[in-house]
Amino acid sequence: MGNRGMEDLIPLVNRLQDAFSSIGQSCNLDLPQIAVVGGQSAGKSSVLENFVGRDFLPRGSGIVTRRPLVLQLISANAEWAEFLHCKGKKFTDFDEVRQEIEAETDRVTGANKGISPIPINLRVYSPHVLNLTLIDLPGITKVPVGDQPADIEHQIRDMIMQFICRESCLILAVTPANTDLANSDALKLAKDVDPQGQRTVGVITKLDLMDEGTDARDVLENKLLPLRRGYIGVVNRSQKDIDGKKDIRAALAAERKFFLSHPAYRHIADSMGTPHLQKVLNQQLTNHIRDTLPAFRSKLQSQLLSLDREAEEYRHYRPDDPSRKTKALLQMVQQFSVDFEKRIEGSGDQVDTVELSGGAKINRIFHERFPFELVKMECDEKEMRREISYAIKNIHGIRTGLFTPDMAFEAIVKKQVVKIKEPCIKCIDLVVQELINTVRQCSNKLDSFPRLREETERIVTSHIRDRESKAKEQVLLLIDVQLAYINTNHEDFIGFANVCPALITAVFLMDVCVCDVTRLVLSQVIRKGWLTINNISIMKGGAKEYWFVLTAESLSWFKDDEEKEKKYMLPLDNLKVRDVEKSFMSSKHMFAIFNTEQRNVFKDNRFLELACDTLEEVESWRASLLRAGVYPERSESSGPSENFSMDPQLERKVETIRNLVDSYMAIVNKCIRDLMPKSIMHLMINNVKEFINAELLAQLYSAGDQNALMDESQEQVQRREEVLRTHHALKEALAIIGDISTTTVSTPLPPPVDNSWLSPVSQPVLQRRSWQIIKHKLWLLLSARSVSFPRRMVTGWNMSRDWSTFSWLMTLWMRRNNDQSS
């Protein structure tokens, strides 16, 4: 029979493959399969039935095999069959096996000759088989029938290619002997994917149906279209034998008698027939497994090592043990608390390299997003001046005021302070959302216990929402405190309390505008950084990168960050910012600065186009320019229909209050920017950390039954069973391999076939053996054209191309004669 050691290994690997495929995974053990390829009615099904010794495959005209049938033959003491889709059900009647194949095929493909690449897995146990894994594929067809698609030929070809393209797949190319071997579709497909012939075994069927006086001796002796593994002839039952229920054992005896009694085949009878083919295929599987045994063992060992620790934990696991549940609950809550604190405070063992999260994202909200939202609240300059003028006029009423009213300043300031509420509330919302996201990320480790995860998220999220409302109340209280008292005696305020008496007198006499004082005090650096000036012409060197310094009065740029060589200084008067679309060829993001009075901004340029590497840098620079008084370009909004008559005295009052409001709002914004992170940290973040650390466990105990809380998910139960089953199977496989590796004997791969006579010859003098072959082929061709010689001498030659072959051989023969005569 076959190799005893490998006969023990193949069934085990089959069970492993089934176990892994049933859980939706692949063990990638690279066990070879044997794909049976051939045309319709080539005898593929009969070959497989002869292997099994039973009639179990559907038969009929046209395409009968319409789904791949993965047939696993396993040597056993009893005989039965089972399907992977009917696991646990044993079929002892093989007529029922045929009916189940037909029903399962129709279930997927329909009843009208449709095909599907979804395989049917059938396992046959029998004392009359060797361990083999074969795939019966649909027969190659040319013309669609029924409701088959027009491209049925290409679909079948693609389906076959999916199997035979694998390096671990052996190809059983089945060709009937009563057809031209040169036109065999099976051999052509095999040649396409296996040009060296290392995986192809040729099978010649229907040898008993050849015309009288002809035979396939040249084919079976591997002289015609040679294969590296050669050809094996088989004789299947005829349709009459099948209809008459002829026993397969009797058919195998008749096959043996045919080869022993036929004059053309009796000398090779021992290497022909179904039993020999079965033995050869079993040996091929043995060879492949032995060749891949070291890598096979290494892969199994690595998989076993990766499961050892987990399997050890599961082996002593008792799901219903109350003490285990209590201990697991305590450990889970402690781990959740540690993970939450690490994500907020930062930790080196859980670094996210993809995006910001947790504490880093909250820090960005505090120091980048919130200040930017505050700056965006600054209103339009024209709207602000209009509101100030309204306030001054309404305060004076019917009188004409001589001095600038401080009540107008206070009214405008309070209106601006109220606007701060919106960005403050938005900041809290952003922090709350990030805290909830952090809770969800930390609860991922609780997936094994869905009820525990659900309750943990619910309790912590409810606490965060409760602290959110208290934080918003506190922040709104801070805004109300700012509204309660306008402190014009603040040390940073540029108002009258901090300005020299002479200047105060001049202001009240309207000789000097307070904006001069404002510019003097606010002449400080707002931002520094590298920017690229993008609109410099190529003639002048093209785009260049400079070091920019932004103050409240000007925008300057230098050659480098040492600020020794100043290139230009641009005053900020009448400047605005506009968006610039990103160019097709540039990877940078851009914005532009222009003068509202249509003047040149920089040399001959009406605008200064600046570029940054990222969109975030652009937004940051726009926010800094906003702080310096350079506002974004806006569409002209239609104001009130009333036209103001702005006399010089009123205009100076408006300018005075405008600059005082800016100064005071800078103080308020500075205070709010400082207090907001502190308030949120105290009222929300630190409080949530303390709650998780001190009260979460008690809340979970009071939430309900702890046993129900620690019920495992169905996925975790399946995972535990799969790990234990896989671990046991891997250990068993390694134990068997340890015994097989020293007892297995393999057969070397046959050497490459010498088919040099099939290619044009360029040498001037050919070897004598090659010329003998040419002479023999010439004789066969000439004999085929003669009435007195039988056609059996050239069986298998393609007669449509014989004359081109004859012409080429005659040319070689004449060249050889000329060389010898000279």
Side-chain angles (χ1 to χ4, degrees):
M1 293 294 282
N3 190 319
R4 186 67 243 171
M6 283 303 172
E7 289 173 11
D8 292 337
L9 178 62
I10 294 174
L12 175 64
V13 178
N14 286 337
R15 291 199 300 272
L16 277 174
Q17 287 181 327
D18 286 347
F20 276 86
S21 61
S22 66
I23 60 175
Q25 297 180 6
S26 174
C27 56
N28 296 321
L29 299 181
D30 196 30
L31 179 71
Q33 295 170 323
I34 303 172
V36 185
V37 182
Q40 288 186 23
S41 303
K44 303 188 305 299
S45 297
S46 297
V47 171
L48 295 179
E49 287 183 337
N50 286 350
F51 284 171
V52 178
R54 291 284 186 173
D55 293 327
F56 68 97
L57 292 175
R59 292 181 179 275
S61 60
I63 298 181
V64 178
T65 304
R66 294 184 284 128
R67 289 176 59 184
L69 176 67
V70 179
L71 177 63
Q72 294 178 353
L73 305 181
I74 300 174
S75 181
N77 294 327
E79 188 176 47
W80 77 91
E82 63 182 18
F83 290 91
L84 189 61
H85 64 272
C86 300
K87 214 161 189 180
K89 182 179 179 181
K90 292 186 177 181
F91 293 81
T92 55
D93 185 352
F94 281 82
D95 288 335
E96 294 183 7
V97 173
R98 180 190 300 109
Q99 295 170 7
E100 181 62 29
I101 293 174
E102 292 174 347
E104 180 65 13
T105 300
D106 292 343
R107 185 183 66 82
V108 174
T109 64
N112 199 5
K113 305 299 182 183
I115 66 171
S116 170
I118 302 174
I120 300 174
N121 291 75
L122 172 63
R123 180 173 289 175
V124 176
Y125 297 82
S126 172
H128 310 297
V129 300
L130 292 179
N131 294 317
L132 290 174
T133 302
L134 304 107
I135 305 171
D136 186 19
L137 296 169
I140 303 167
T141 185
K142 304 290 184 182
V143 181
V145 295
D147 60 355
Q148 290 177 347
D151 62 341
I152 184 69
E153 179 184 359
H154 296 92
Q155 288 190 22
I156 293 177
R157 178 184 173 87
D158 292 343
M159 185 189 305
I160 293 173
M161 284 294 184
Q162 289 178 8
F163 291 93
I164 67 176
C165 283
R166 303 171 188 168
E167 289 297 324
S168 61
C169 180
L170 301 178
I171 305 169
L172 201 65
V174 180
T175 305
N178 55 359
T179 61
D180 189 358
L181 191 65
N183 291 329
S184 171
D185 292 322
L187 289 176
K188 184 177 184 304
L189 287 175
K191 190 71 173 175
D192 290 342
V193 298
D194 182 32
Q196 302 300 323
Q198 295 183 359
R199 300 188 284 118
T200 305
V201 178
V203 177
I204 306 299
T205 62
K206 302 185 181 181
L207 290 168
D208 56 331
L209 300 181
M210 296 184 69
D211 294 339
E212 186 177 354
T214 63
D215 58 61
R217 177 173 176 174
D218 285 348
V219 177
L220 296 177
E221 290 180 349
N222 211 21
K223 294 179 180 178
L224 189 65
L225 293 181
L227 293 176
R228 189 167 185 175
R229 296 186 184 273
Y231 294 87
I232 299 174
V234 296
V235 176
N236 300 322
R237 293 175 300 165
S238 65
Q239 190 61 44
K240 180 180 178 181
D241 295 335
I242 296 172
D243 295 338
K245 303 293 182 181
K246 183 177 180 179
D247 184 62
I248 291 182
R249 292 185 184 136
L252 293 177
E255 179 188 49
R256 177 66 176 168
K257 182 179 178 181
F258 171 83
F259 284 112
L260 288 173
S261 60
H262 198 288
Y265 308 134
R266 64 172 62 135
H267 67 292
I268 53 174
D270 290 339
S271 59
M272 295 291 121
T274 300
H276 179 73
L277 175 61
Q278 192 174 0
K279 188 174 181 180
V280 167
L281 296 181
N282 176 266
Q283 188 63 52
Q284 301 303 332
L285 287 178
T286 301
N287 288 345
H288 182 87
I289 294 178
R290 187 180 188 280
D291 293 341
T292 59
L293 200 59
F296 182 55
R297 182 190 293 110
S298 176
K299 184 174 293 186
L300 290 179
Q301 287 174 340
S302 64
Q303 292 180 357
L304 185 65
L305 287 173
S306 65
L307 293 177
D308 269 343
R309 182 176 178 182
E310 193 173 1
E312 187 63 27
E313 293 177 358
Y314 289 151
R315 189 171 291 111
H316 306 289
Y317 188 83
R318 297 191 299 275
D320 298 327
D321 184 4
S323 61
R324 182 203 62 80
K325 291 186 175 183
T326 302
K327 181 180 178 181
L329 176 60
L330 181 60
Q331 290 175 342
M332 291 288 183
V333 173
Q334 289 176 343
Q335 186 63 45
F336 179 82
S337 176
V338 170
D339 290 344
F340 184 83
E341 185 166 357
K342 283 183 177 181
R343 285 187 175 272
I344 296 299
E345 300 295 337
S347 171
D349 59 347
Q350 292 184 357
V351 178
D352 189 347
T353 59
V354 178
E355 61 179 0
L356 293 179
S357 62
K361 204 163 187 177
I362 293 175
N363 179 69
R364 185 177 179 181
I365 294 171
F366 285 161
H367 302 294
E368 292 186 28
R369 185 68 182 270
F370 179 58
F372 182 63
E373 294 293 333
L374 285 178
V375 172
K376 286 202 307 185
M377 294 306 299
E378 296 186 10
C379 65
D380 181 73
E381 180 67 20
K382 289 185 178 180
E383 184 65 25
M384 170 72 77
R385 300 181 76 86
R386 183 180 292 112
E387 290 178 1
I388 294 173
S389 64
Y390 272 129
I392 293 174
K393 288 186 176 183
N394 288 332
I395 288 171
H396 286 318
I398 197 171
R399 302 180 305 279
T400 302
L402 298 177
F403 304 102
T404 302
D406 57 349
M407 291 181 62
F409 161 75
E410 189 169 327
I412 298 299
V413 164
K414 287 184 177 180
K415 188 173 182 180
Q416 294 300 311
V417 171
V418 169
K419 291 181 180 181
I420 297 177
K421 291 183 178 180
E422 182 179 344
C424 290
I425 299 299
K426 188 174 182 179
C427 177
I428 295 176
D429 290 338
L430 292 173
V431 173
V432 167
Q433 187 60 47
E434 187 54 37
L435 285 176
I436 293 175
N437 290 340
T438 303
V439 169
R440 289 174 180 167
Q441 291 170 354
C442 294
S443 64
N444 286 336
K445 293 184 178 180
L446 308 179
D447 276 342
S448 301
F449 307 97
R451 289 283 302 277
L452 175 62
R453 176 175 183 173
E454 181 182 347
E455 284 297 313
T456 301
E457 289 186 359
R458 182 187 64 80
I459 292 172
V460 178
T461 301
S462 298
H463 184 74
I464 291 173
R465 292 298 182 186
D466 178 62
R467 302 309 301 177
E468 174 189 7
S469 60
K470 294 184 179 180
K472 287 181 177 179
E473 291 176 4
Q474 182 65 29
V475 168
L476 293 178
L477 179 62
L478 289 177
I479 305 298
D480 292 338
V481 168
Q482 293 290 342
L483 291 170
Y485 179 66
I486 307 300
N487 182 18
T488 55
N489 200 35
H490 194 279
E491 59 183 6
D492 295 332
F493 185 54
I494 65 166
F496 306 118
N498 293 329
V499 183
C500 62
L503 186 56
I504 294 175
T505 305
V507 168
F508 276 104
L509 294 177
M510 298 168 193
D511 290 335
V512 177
C513 181
V514 179
C515 67
D516 294 333
V517 182
T518 306
R519 296 276 175 128
L520 180 63
V521 174
L522 294 181
S523 182
Q524 58 182 344
V525 174
I526 297 176
R527 185 184 178 91
K528 294 182 179 183
W530 292 97
L531 286 173
T532 301
I533 300 180
N534 216 43
N535 57 330
I536 300 178
S537 64
I538 298 178
M539 299 296 294
K540 296 181 179 180
K544 290 184 180 179
E545 195 173 26
Y546 294 101
W547 178 259
F548 278 75
V549 177
L550 175 65
T551 67
E553 292 183 340
S554 65
L555 178 65
S556 306
W557 55 91
F558 300 82
K559 184 177 180 180
D560 50 41
D561 54 3
E562 294 182 0
E563 301 180 16
K564 292 181 179 179
E565 184 179 346
K566 181 182 287 189
K567 290 293 184 179
Y568 200 80
M569 187 183 73
L570 180 65
L572 300 183
D573 295 332
N574 301 319
L575 294 184
K576 282 197 174 183
V577 179
R578 69 160 58 128
D579 293 326
V580 177
E581 291 187 3
K582 184 178 177 181
S583 65
F584 176 73
M585 297 299 294
S586 175
S587 61
K588 298 199 171 196
H589 300 267
M590 295 175 285
F591 64 97
I593 298 175
F594 68 98
N595 194 299
T596 57
E597 297 180 353
Q598 303 300 320
R599 296 178 182 174
N600 290 341
V601 175
F602 172 59
K603 297 183 179 180
D604 298 331
N605 299 310
R606 287 295 182 92
F607 62 92
L608 184 64
E609 191 175 286
L610 303 174
C612 303
D613 291 331
T614 64
L615 189 60
E616 292 183 356
E617 289 185 60
V618 172
E619 293 298 330
S620 181
W621 271 101
R622 288 168 62 90
S624 300
L625 289 167
L626 205 60
R627 290 170 54 196
V630 181
Y631 296 94
E633 180 184 23
R634 297 182 183 178
S635 58
E636 293 293 331
S637 56
S638 56
S641 57
E642 179 183 359
N643 293 323
F644 292 96
S645 175
M646 295 291 288
D647 59 79
Q649 182 180 353
L650 179 60
E651 186 175 356
R652 281 191 287 270
K653 291 178 181 179
V654 169
E655 183 69 19
T656 299
I657 292 179
R658 176 70 182 91
N659 286 281
L660 292 174
V661 169
D662 277 350
S663 176
Y664 193 82
M665 288 306 300
I667 297 172
V668 174
N669 286 341
K670 182 179 179 180
C671 179
I672 294 297
R673 282 202 305 269
D674 180 59
L675 288 177
M676 274 293 293
K678 295 177 179 178
S679 301
I680 293 175
M681 282 296 299
H682 174 68
L683 296 172
M684 291 185 62
I685 299 176
N686 291 340
N687 185 276
V688 170
K689 287 194 298 183
E690 292 174 3
F691 172 81
I692 293 174
N693 190 41
E695 299 184 32
L696 176 59
L697 185 61
Q699 293 274 4
L700 288 171
Y701 270 111
S702 62
D705 184 11
Q706 289 76 40
N707 290 328
L709 200 65
M710 295 303 294
D711 285 342
E712 289 182 299
S713 64
Q714 189 62 32
E715 292 79 8
Q716 179 65 15
V717 175
Q718 292 178 356
R719 168 68 181 170
R720 183 170 65 253
E721 293 175 353
E722 290 164 6
V723 168
L724 292 175
R725 185 172 63 249
T726 304
H727 188 267
H728 175 73
L730 290 172
K731 288 183 68 176
E732 184 181 354
L734 283 170
I736 292 179
I737 290 176
D739 296 335
I740 291 173
S741 59
T742 58
T743 61
T744 302
V745 179
S746 67
T747 302
L749 184 69
V753 176
D754 181 13
N755 56 1
S756 58
W757 57 273
L758 292 174
S759 304
V761 184
S762 59
Q763 292 85 351
V765 180
L766 300 177
Q767 296 179 0
R768 178 172 301 177
R769 175 62 181 163
S770 301
W771 284 115
Q772 288 176 351
I773 296 174
I774 293 175
K775 182 179 178 180
H776 178 66
K777 297 302 178 183
L778 278 171
W779 179 76
L780 288 177
L781 286 172
L782 292 174
S783 299
R785 299 303 188 272
S786 175
V787 179
S788 61
F789 285 90
R791 290 182 57 86
R792 70 175 184 272
M793 295 184 178
V794 287
T795 299
W797 278 82
N798 187 351
M799 304 307 295
S800 64
R801 60 184 184 186
D802 276 354
W803 287 115
S804 62
T805 306
F806 174 75
S807 176
W808 171 62
L809 292 172
M810 284 298 298
T811 302
L812 293 178
W813 185 260
M814 292 173 64
R815 184 187 303 168
R816 187 235 187 188
N817 291 338
N818 292 335
D819 290 342
Q820 288 180 345
S821 63
S822 61

